[in-house]
């Protein structure tokens, strides 16, 4: 298992059979979401403190690359085919789409509300679902890199808006 530690800016590798930490990878800056390639050889980690995604060789624990993205990346989610990585940028309200082969940002998608770590792809990889701060879910067409719709529980959304208003008035 790969477990993030925001306070220690590290990833602990835990052996599932014994629940013991067998190795730690350090060098992150306000680490958030992570994603692991299907072969387990590369770990992608969102560095909120450096506005980047680290690509880490899991066998040696070495940095293979540092990819500059938007402000305060929270999420790092690989597509089912491991060809693209979605990096959610909380402060920019965007998702950066990264080509895994060359670590290049190929598209920035706007229109989110402080996207979070929770990014999930459909099994066929055609759709991605991104959790926003207000607990709505943006559905993204992966082929066109556009938000197709927002899924929202109206009752929870209203409670969230009321809580936000109360918090603003208290500040």
């Amino acid at each position: 298992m790969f477990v993030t530690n925001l306070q220690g800016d590290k990833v602990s590798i835990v052996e599932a059979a014994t629940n013991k930490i067998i190795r730690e990878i350090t060098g992150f800056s306000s680490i958030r979401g992570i994603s692991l390639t299907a072969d387990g050889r590369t770990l992608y980690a969102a560095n909120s403190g450096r506005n980047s995604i680290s690509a880490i060789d899991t066998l040696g624990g070495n940095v293979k690359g540092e990819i500059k993205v938007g402000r305060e990346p929270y999420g790092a989610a690989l597509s089912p085919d491991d060809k693209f990585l979605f990096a959610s940028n909380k402060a920019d309200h965007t998702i950066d789409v990264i080509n895994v082969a060359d670590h290049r940002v190929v598209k920035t998608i706007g229109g989110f509300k402080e996207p979070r770590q929770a990014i999930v792809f459909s099994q066929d990889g055609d759709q991605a679902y991104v959790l926003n701060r207000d607990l709505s879910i943006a559905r993204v067409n992966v082929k066109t890199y556009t938000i197709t719709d927002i899924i929202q529980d109206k009752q929870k959304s209203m409670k969230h808006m009321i809580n936000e208003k109360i918090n603003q008035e208290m500040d």
Side-chain angles (χ1 to χ4, degrees):
M1 294 183 289
F2 292 81
V3 181
T4 60
N5 179 329
L6 175 66
Q7 297 299 317
D9 275 331
K10 62 186 173 184
V11 173
S12 298
I13 302 171
V14 179
E15 186 176 286
T18 63
N19 290 329
K20 296 210 185 281
I21 296 172
I22 56 173
R23 198 164 98 235
E24 292 183 328
I25 303 170
T26 60
F28 303 102
S29 179
S30 298
I31 187 170
R32 298 292 183 166
I34 60 173
S35 195
L36 189 65
T37 55
D39 65 9
R41 293 183 179 189
T42 305
L43 174 86
Y44 290 94
N47 294 295
S48 287
R50 281 200 301 261
N51 299 327
S52 68
I53 300 292
S54 292
I56 306 294
D57 169 21
T58 57
L59 298 177
N62 306 318
V63 177
K64 293 167 60 169
E66 189 91 8
I67 307 154
K68 289 293 178 194
V69 293
R71 292 187 2 242
E72 293 183 44
Y74 257 46
L78 282 161
S79 60
D81 60 8
D82 279 353
K83 290 185 178 180
F84 294 97
L85 180 104
F86 274 30
S88 59
N89 304 308
K90 182 183 117 180
D92 289 348
H93 309 283
T94 62
I95 296 280
D96 280 325
V97 181
I98 298 166
N99 181 331
V100 171
D102 61 9
H103 290 170
R104 186 175 49 90
V105 174
V106 295
K107 181 75 175 174
T108 299
I109 308 167
F112 299 92
K113 297 174 186 169
E114 294 185 23
R116 298 309 199 206
Q117 294 168 336
I119 304 169
V120 179
F121 287 87
S122 60
Q123 284 185 324
D124 61 12
D126 289 346
Q127 304 289 319
Y129 300 87
V130 179
L131 179 66
N132 287 302
R133 181 172 191 247
D134 66 357
L135 304 181
S136 66
I137 299 168
R139 185 183 348 226
V140 177
N141 180 314
V142 175
K143 291 183 188 329
T144 62
Y145 301 123
T146 57
I147 296 174
T148 56
D149 62 329
I150 303 291
I151 303 163
Q152 192 161 34
D153 180 330
K154 300 286 185 206
Q155 193 172 22
K156 285 183 182 177
S157 176
M158 183 59 73
K159 285 180 186 177
H160 180 77
M161 288 185 333
I162 290 168
N163 286 335
E164 285 289 307
K165 184 71 172 164
I166 290 168
N167 289 337
Q168 287 173 357
E169 288 177 7
M170 293 177 78
D171 288 340

